[in-house]
């Protein structure tokens, strides 16, 4: 696998030279980008290019571990295995939650192929259990990868920075991946990790955390997953965490917002306008063949039962007989725990910090998510409602903070740019604030804050007129081109 990736990099040498010439002859895609940033975004963008069609699902999923990160000397890491009993407990909750959507869900999620959930605890090297436990704080961090690639290790670098700055321990897990483990497998494993933190086994090496001491964090698909997890916990009536932080979140699997197909993002973001972000598209794969068989069976069953109402826009039924996503069939893209941006109401959630780059492809869904959470009544989506008028969650989420980083691309927080340093500092402040307020049972009054962060890291007021097209967009939840 390593040799394959090296060869693919060598093939991109002409692209590197052409990018250098373009940078100095015509200038960078964004005014403040230096050559390093221009090359980073351009080369990363080839990830979804045609040469990668040769990668099977299995190869894509196994390639991540070769990219390792050395843990710094001031940080320590413990490997954790969450016992299977926590997944069983979580599964009982999730089964109840997703029962109305069973016709579009592959039941294979109920039979995991491994017993334990692997993860890591990242913390200061001097941390010990004798610390004042009431002052302890922890972040449950969920990685990205379009629900079909990635693992907890890809977030190690960033999690070390976040732990160092915030003083919190970071717990990152490797949840099950699609298509072998489709929705709601990832949601189930994430809930299991939350239950584990609140009631760990005696040999875990730490005491139980109160929900008020826990913050959820995640990026890309993981950024959407933490919002879905918050919705699931809210709807199940379980204790909510102190807050949720979502970097570059993928919260709309229908790809319905304008920025997804904005051609300007072709130059400024490495994410391609590829439905479902199905980067591994080699069909000579056992996982792919199993996926096609199982998803085909679900689609035929849906067609045989037209009387069963499925939540979502009619366009989801007209996409075609092949699933655009490895995570769920097309008719399931509107499930609120799949596409949380489209949830009936985003009220009743704990404090939210939603972060995106101004020139990234997922920008508009991050913006719309924040505005819908801050004012559920104003930003209703009738096609995605069951009974909004009688919903317990019509009131705005009590605190929503939206931060848009100027000239920044998808998952910029993994870079070494000033914007990445700023977002770590601001997220750390958020973690401390929401945990302190939750422990003191002294929540702030409902408030919605929006900020623009410049390339140099200056915090400015956000100009709402610049996103009028997003706030007035009437095709949210409508699959484009159908």
């Amino acid at each position: 696998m390593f040799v394959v990736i090296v060869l693919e990099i060598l093939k991109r040498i002409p692209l590197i030279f052409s990018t250098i010439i373009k940078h100095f002859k015509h200038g960078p895609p964004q005014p403040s980008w230096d050559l390093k940033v221009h090359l980073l975004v351009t080369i990363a963008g080839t990830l979804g290019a045609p040469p990668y069609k040769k990668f099977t699902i299995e190869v894509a999923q196994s390639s991540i571990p070769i990219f390792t990160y050395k843990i710094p000397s001031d940080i320590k890491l413990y490997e954790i295995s969450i016992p299977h009993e926590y997944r069983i407990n979580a599964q009982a909750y999730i089964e109840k939650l997703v029962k109305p959507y069973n016709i579009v869900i592959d039941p294979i999620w109920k039979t995991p192929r491994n017993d334990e959930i692997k993860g890591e605890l990242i913390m200061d090297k001097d941390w010990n259990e004798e610390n004042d436990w009431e002052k302890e704080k922890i972040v449950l961090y969920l990685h990205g990868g379009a629900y079909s690639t990635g693992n907890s290790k890809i977030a190690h670098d960033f999690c070390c920075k976040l732990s160092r700055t915030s003083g919190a321990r970071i717990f990152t897990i490797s949840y099950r991946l699609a298509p072998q483990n489709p929705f709601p497998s990832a949601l189930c494993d994430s809930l299991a990790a939350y239950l584990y933190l609140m009631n760990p086994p005696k040999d875990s090496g730490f005491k139980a955390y109160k929900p008020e001491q826990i913050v959820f964090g995640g990026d890309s698909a993981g950024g959407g997953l933490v919002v879905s997890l918050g919705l699931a916990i809210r709807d199940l009536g379980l204790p909510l965490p102190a807050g949720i932080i979502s970097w570059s979140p993928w919260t709309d699997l229908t790809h319905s917002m304008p920025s997804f197909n904005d051609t300007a993002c072709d130059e400024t973001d490495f994410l391609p306008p590829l439905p479902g972000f199905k980067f591994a598209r080699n069909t000579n794969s056992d996982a792919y063949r199993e996926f096609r068989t199982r998803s085909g069976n679900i689609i035929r069953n849906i067609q045989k039962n037209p009387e069963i109402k499925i939540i979502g826009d009619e366009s989801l039924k007209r996409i075609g007989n092949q699933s655009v996503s490895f995570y769920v069939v097309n008719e399931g893209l509107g499930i609120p725990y799949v596409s949380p941006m489209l949830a009936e109401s985003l009220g009743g959630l704990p404090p939210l910090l939603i972060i995106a780059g101004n020139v990234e492809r997922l920008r508009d869904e991050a913006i719309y998510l924040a505005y819908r959470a801050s004012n559920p009544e104003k930003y209703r989506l009738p096609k995605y409602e069951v009974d909004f008028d009688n919903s317990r969650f019509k009131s705005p989420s009590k605190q929503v903070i939206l931060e848009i980083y100027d000239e920044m691309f998808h998952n910029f927080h993994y870079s070494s740019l000033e914007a990445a340093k700023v977002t770590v500092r601001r997220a750390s402040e958020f973690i401390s604030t929401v945990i302190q307020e939750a422990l003191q049972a002294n929540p702030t009054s409902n408030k919605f804050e929006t900020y623009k962060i410049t390339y140099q890291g200056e915090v400015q007021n956000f100009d709402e007129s610049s996103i009028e097209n997003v706030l007035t967009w009437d095709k949210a939840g409508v699959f484009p081109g159908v």
Side-chain angles (χ1 to χ4, degrees), residues 3-203:
V3 174
V4 173
I5 291 180
V6 170
L7 290 174
E8 291 296 336
I9 292 173
L10 290 175
K11 290 178 184 178
R12 282 152 179 75
I13 290 177
L15 177 63
I16 293 173
F17 281 114
S18 65
T19 302
I20 292 172
I21 294 170
K22 183 177 181 181
H23 183 88
F24 290 107
K25 186 176 181 179
H26 302 290
Q30 291 295 297
S32 301
W33 283 14
D34 60 18
L35 179 59
K36 180 181 176 182
V37 176
H38 194 174
L39 284 169
L40 170 67
V41 174
T42 300
I43 301 305
T46 63
L47 201 66
Y52 276 74
K53 285 185 178 181
K54 70 175 67 172
F55 282 11
T56 64
I57 293 164
E58 292 90 342
V59 168
Q61 291 176 348
S62 64
S63 66
I64 296 299
I66 72 168
F67 299 102
T68 56
Y69 170 73
K70 184 178 180 180
I71 302 298
S73 59
D74 63 328
I75 298 289
K76 63 183 176 183
L77 178 149
Y78 290 148
E79 294 187 349
I80 299 290
S81 293
I82 301 176
H84 188 56
E85 65 188 81
Y86 289 90
R87 181 182 275 155
I88 296 298
N89 291 340
Q91 182 173 314
Y93 283 116
I94 298 299
E95 283 190 79
K96 175 183 176 182
L97 188 74
V98 302
K99 187 176 180 180
Y101 316 108
N102 274 347
I103 192 170
V104 300
I105 296 174
D106 188 338
I108 198 171
W109 77 273
K110 301 177 186 179
T111 54
R113 304 182 186 196
N114 51 9
D115 288 339
E116 297 178 321
I117 303 170
K118 300 293 185 182
E120 295 86 36
L121 267 173
I122 295 171
M123 69 206 85
D124 185 277
K125 68 178 180 64
D126 295 324
W127 184 93
N128 65 76
E129 195 179 356
E130 302 308 315
N131 295 345
D132 183 353
W133 199 260
E134 290 300 314
K135 295 181 180 179
E136 281 297 315
K137 47 192 174 183
I138 193 165
V139 176
L140 172 59
Y141 198 88
L142 305 179
H143 67 82
Y147 295 109
S148 59
T149 62
N151 57 40
S152 58
K153 293 178 174 59
I154 65 175
H156 279 178
D157 181 15
F158 177 73
C159 288
C160 287
K161 295 174 183 176
L162 186 61
S163 178
R164 183 184 295 118
T165 305
S166 67
R169 296 210 294 172
I170 314 295
F171 184 35
T172 179
I173 66 165
S174 295
Y175 51 81
R176 284 173 288 167
L177 300 176
Q180 300 95 320
N181 301 282
F183 173 83
S185 301
L187 182 63
C188 178
D189 289 0
S190 303
L191 178 58
Y194 185 49
L195 298 176
Y196 174 84
L197 289 176
M198 293 190 294
N199 184 29
K202 293 180 180 179
D203 61 353

